[in-house]
Structures are given as C-alpha cells and as structure tokens.
Amino acid sequence: MVFANMSGKEKLQLLVTGKSQNPRCFKGVKSLPVLYERNKKAWMTSSVYEDWLHKIDNKFQRENGKFLLLVDNNCPAHPKVLIQTLKAIKVVHLPPNLTAKLQPMDQGIIKNLKVNYGWRIIKRLLKASDKKMGLTDLNLLDAIFDLNKACADVTSDTIANLFRMASFVKTDM
C-alpha cells in the first residue's frame, strides 16, 4: 500500500504483505522501514486494510490533522463499513471504472515506485554478476529495504505533478 499527500511532502511507510509471520531473514532485525503484515497468500485483505487504516487514523489524530483518502471502489479489500469509526480520515470510494483516471497513485506514482525498484534490482544483478555470484542471497528483507529506498526516490515534485494530472489542485478553500 502506497500513501502520499497531494504535495508529496507526506509519505507514510509502505505497507507490505508477506506470507510468513516471522520470516527467517527478519531474525535479529529490530525494526523495518515498512509496515509488514502477514497473509496466507500475501494479498491485501480487508482485515489488513482495516488495521492499517486504524493505525494511520491514530497517527493523524495525534497530529490533529484531517485527511481525505481516495480508494478504489472495486477492491474487495476496501470495505465501506468501518468508515464511521475513523476520526481524522474521510474515506472516499472512487466511482466504478474511474480509478485509473482519478486516482493519483494509478496515474503514475506506483509505476514510478516500481521503475525505481526495478533499477535497484538490476543494479543488484549487475553487482552479483561482477562478483560472479547468483542472486540467491536476495531475501525478503533485502527486497523490503530496496522497496523503501525506491519509494524515497519518488520525489515530492513527481507526486504533486501526478496529483495535478488527476485534476487535484490545491485551493484556498
């Protein structure tokens, strides 16, 4: 799950779902740069989404902020029932078949993140081939750290431009 505000200045930790509750590669790791949740199929589920939503709602309450969260209408992991329990976040489900046109994350933010991540993997492959090694030592922890760095590489200007492309413009109102 990727989350950023309209200016791109506020990016929350990525939410990553995996299959294992305690992957071996996490042994000895005190903290992760992302939120990690477990699911049998490593998919986003409504319970993972609800837990994440409550965590960020609590964070925003502590900061005395009010936020609008745009989510895909067609995703079964985005239930509409818990919306009333949120205090700092208003959730808006986009109309069917318009998510790709209206959702800034789908306008290119996620694509930019994936491209950045892909470049990191290519660099890792090249480094491994230079050392005549395989990529067998790449694990979930490495992928998480690379993904977090790839997210940091998505600039606030890129995010703001993609929000504008999706017709979101900051006004004084």
Side-chain angles (χ1 to χ4, degrees):
M1 173 97 58
V2 180
F3 181 98
N5 70 353
M6 198 165 93
S7 70
K9 304 274 187 240
E10 174 91 31
K11 288 192 274 187
L12 294 185
Q13 285 180 308
L14 295 172
L15 171 63
V16 175
T17 55
K19 290 183 180 182
S20 301
Q21 180 70 36
N22 295 309
R24 277 186 235 129
C25 60
F26 288 7
K27 189 175 181 173
V29 175
K30 298 211 186 313
S31 67
L32 293 172
V34 300
L35 297 172
Y36 178 81
E37 295 290 336
R38 179 211 172 274
N39 175 278
K40 216 178 347 181
K41 294 183 178 180
W43 287 351
M44 174 61 73
T45 64
S46 57
S47 64
V48 169
Y49 171 73
E50 287 179 27
D51 290 345
W52 174 80
L53 202 50
H54 282 292
K55 283 178 189 172
I56 64 167
D57 188 58
N58 290 336
K59 174 192 180 331
F60 292 151
Q61 282 180 59
R62 288 190 301 274
E63 296 173 0
N64 293 320
K66 294 285 183 189
F67 295 85
L68 176 68
L69 179 64
L70 302 173
V71 295
D72 186 353
N73 186 347
N74 297 324
C75 180
H78 299 159
K80 296 178 183 178
V81 291
L82 79 129
I83 295 170
Q84 297 80 13
T85 64
L86 303 173
K87 294 177 177 62
I89 299 172
K90 179 176 180 173
V91 178
V92 173
H93 289 85
L94 294 169
N97 304 319
L98 287 180
T99 298
K101 291 182 172 56
L102 295 177
Q103 174 58 278
M105 296 301 160
D106 287 348
Q107 289 288 332
I109 296 171
I110 293 170
K111 181 179 180 180
N112 197 286
L113 170 66
K114 288 178 178 182
V115 166
N116 291 342
Y117 180 73
W119 277 113
R120 289 187 173 281
I121 295 301
I122 289 169
K123 287 177 188 176
R124 189 180 285 275
L125 279 166
L126 291 172
K127 191 185 285 186
S129 71
D130 284 348
K131 294 180 180 178
K132 307 240 187 292
M133 300 167 47
L135 249 185
T136 56
D137 59 339
L138 179 67
N139 58 36
L140 178 60
L141 186 62
D142 296 327
I144 283 174
F145 277 99
D146 282 345
L147 186 60
N148 187 61
K149 289 175 187 169
C151 184
D153 291 342
V154 179
T155 67
S156 57
D157 287 342
T158 298
I159 294 169
N161 287 336
L162 289 164
F163 266 89
R164 271 193 297 284
M165 280 178 53
S167 300
F168 290 91
V169 181
K170 187 175 182 179
T171 65
D172 293 336
M173 292 175 50

